[in-house]
């Protein structure tokens, strides 16, 4: 059972930056697609970004050019959030996909507990 723990969320002003971290209990990243999702109150969980084992990255249109996903090692990966907007306010989750690249939450079988990001205007 893989356990994921996110950290790095907080309350910031619009235009600020945060770096979210995701740490895994075991080595999963060498062959797994890793994703970041977010969920705002009253909304569905949505894909934000993801990274393939080969380093290819993917982003939602709403965050492209502002967020950057990266992998530090086999157990840790990051989501850098720049130029934050109030509409980025949500709980952010990291997750491991069952098979390959996907933007659908149902295709992920391991999830962290989430970290809150709140952006004030």
């Amino acid at each position: 059972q893989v356990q994921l723990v996110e950290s790095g969320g907080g309350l910031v002003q619009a235009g600020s930056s945060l770096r979210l971290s995701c740490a895994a209990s075991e080595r999963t990243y060498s062959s797994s697609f890793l994703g970041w999702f977010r969920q705002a109150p009253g909304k569905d969980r949505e894909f934000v970004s993801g990274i393939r084992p080969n380093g290819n990255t993917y982003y939602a249109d709403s965050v492209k050019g502002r967020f950057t996903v990266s992998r530090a090692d086999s157990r840790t990966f990051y989501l850098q959030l720049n130029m934050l907007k109030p509409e980025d306010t949500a709980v952010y989750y990291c997750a491991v996909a069952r098979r390959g690249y996907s933007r659908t939450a149902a295709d992920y079988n391991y999830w962290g507990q989430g970290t809150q990001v709140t952006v004030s205007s």
Side-chain angles (χ1 to χ4, degrees):
Q1 180 79 14
V2 175
Q3 293 183 331
L4 302 173
V5 179
E6 303 96 337
S7 61
L11 170 63
V12 297
Q13 292 186 330
S16 299
S17 298
L18 285 172
R19 189 177 78 163
L20 307 183
S21 299
C22 178
S25 59
E26 61 186 71
R27 293 178 61 183
T28 61
Y29 301 159
S30 60
S31 60
S32 300
F33 184 86
L34 309 173
W36 285 97
F37 286 76
R38 66 186 180 186
Q39 188 166 19
K43 295 188 176 182
D44 292 335
R45 194 167 295 189
E46 64 173 356
F47 176 83
V48 175
S49 180
I51 185 167
R52 286 188 185 272
N54 66 2
N56 288 354
T57 57
Y58 302 84
Y59 298 95
D61 288 344
S62 59
V63 307
K64 202 172 293 183
R66 299 188 298 121
F67 292 7
T68 304
V69 62
S70 62
R71 183 168 47 209
D73 54 39
S74 62
R75 295 191 181 189
T76 307
F77 74 122
Y78 303 110
L79 185 66
Q80 178 70 38
L81 287 61
N82 295 330
M83 296 182 287
L84 281 161
K85 304 175 181 180
E87 51 264 43
D88 294 320
T89 295
V91 177
Y92 284 71
Y93 300 88
C94 61
V96 179
R98 289 188 182 86
R99 304 182 189 88
Y101 165 54
S102 174
R103 295 181 179 236
T104 303
D107 292 334
Y108 290 72
N109 54 346
Y110 296 112
W111 292 85
Q113 82 290 347
T115 185
Q116 177 71 47
V117 172
T118 304
V119 184
S120 63
S121 57

